[in-house]
Amino acid sequence: MEEELYQTYRADCLALQVAIAKAKQGAWEEWLQTLEEDPWGRPYRAVRKKLRPWAPPITTTMEPQLAEEVVGALFPHRVGSALPAEEEGEAVNDEVEPVSEQEVTGSASRRPPPGWTVCLVGCLKKGRFPSSWKEGRLVLLKKDDRPPDQASAYRPIVLLGEPSKLFERVLVARLAEHIHLCDAQFGFRCGRSTIDAVSRLKGLAEEVVAQGGVLVAVSLDISNAFNTLPWTAVMEALQHFRVPGHL
């Protein structure tokens, strides 16, 4: 009798564990579904609670002179590196593919208003990215263990409006059709991440070590590379890939 009761107890414990696991899995799937339906809902608020507590933006508490120096260093003005200004309304001679509704809705975080395809086609035909779409809100993120009076202590993020992000995504998708990068590049590539690059390096190291060899890796870190790359170099690369002029 005692053995039967014990076996029943064990079975009930196992059933309870299975039920708890199913409940957790169901709650997790429901949680992910709310993320798909509302990116700023419960999952977003839960993650925000795990982050550092709210504080006023760094730019509002920073001394004006220091803020000017930091922004000037992070976004340097390089003489001779800017693109030549185009005349308003100047047409581009190469053919412009129409922007489909699917292309627009697939790039937007939410369904854009009617008429956006016409607007974007007009921008493409004129080879223009409206200046007002380039204006954004600057947010500075403080890096740990860096002197606060140096520009290298901050990581800049510029929050752009929905029109600029929409047009940018359409442009990026079209540029990807013309630019063919080498297999060893992982940055700025769809479906690849830093983890993939590290895994490739780890695989190479394990292969060399298994053969009794030594692998030497050289890492180069270019300070503020994205904001200091000359536009002339970008244009030369686009011409090398024979990217259409309007792009």
Side-chain angles (χ1 to χ4, degrees), residues 121-168:
V121 168
C123 292
L124 288 171
K125 286 184 177 180
K126 294 183 178 181
R128 305 279 302 181
F129 198 112
S131 299
S132 60
W133 291 3
K134 300 178 184 179
E135 297 177 359
R137 178 184 177 187
L138 174 64
V139 177
L140 298 179
L141 303 180
K142 180 71 170 60
K143 298 180 182 179
D144 296 332
D145 303 325
R146 298 287 182 91
D149 58 344
Q150 296 183 7
S152 60
Y154 303 94
R155 179 179 290 107
I157 295 179
V158 178
L159 305 179
L160 299 173
E162 189 67 22
S164 59
K165 291 189 291 185
L166 174 61
F167 192 27
E168 180 184 80

Side-chain angles (χ1 to χ4, degrees), residues 158-223:
V158 178
L159 305 179
L160 299 173
E162 189 67 22
S164 59
K165 291 189 291 185
L166 174 61
F167 192 27
E168 180 184 80
R169 291 166 188 162
V170 173
L171 290 174
V172 168
R174 295 196 173 198
L175 286 172
E177 298 177 358
H178 300 278
I179 299 178
H180 304 286
L181 304 174
C182 67
D183 185 63
Q185 177 165 337
F186 291 85
F188 300 99
R189 300 193 68 175
C190 182
R192 294 196 176 189
S193 66
T194 305
I195 296 178
D196 297 317
V198 173
S199 298
R200 174 78 67 88
L201 178 61
K202 180 182 178 182
L204 291 173
E206 291 175 344
E207 180 181 353
V208 172
V209 172
Q211 298 174 359
V214 176
L215 181 70
V216 177
V218 179
S219 175
L220 300 179
D221 184 11
I222 303 176
S223 177

Side-chain angles (χ1 to χ4, degrees), residues 8-23:
T8 302
Y9 168 74
R10 290 286 304 273
D12 290 343
C13 288
L14 180 60
L16 178 61
Q17 292 176 0
V18 173
I20 292 175
K22 288 183 177 180

Side-chain angles (χ1 to χ4, degrees), residues 89-133:
E90 181 181 354
V92 179
N93 294 327
D94 54 339
E95 184 178 355
V96 177
E97 292 288 337
V99 178
S100 64
E101 288 285 348
Q102 183 180 4
E103 188 176 6
V104 174
T105 56
S107 301
S109 58
R110 58 178 180 270
R111 188 171 183 83
W116 266 107
T117 55
V118 178
C119 177
L120 298 184
V121 168
C123 292
L124 288 171
K125 286 184 177 180
K126 294 183 178 181
R128 305 279 302 181
F129 198 112
S131 299
S132 60
W133 291 3

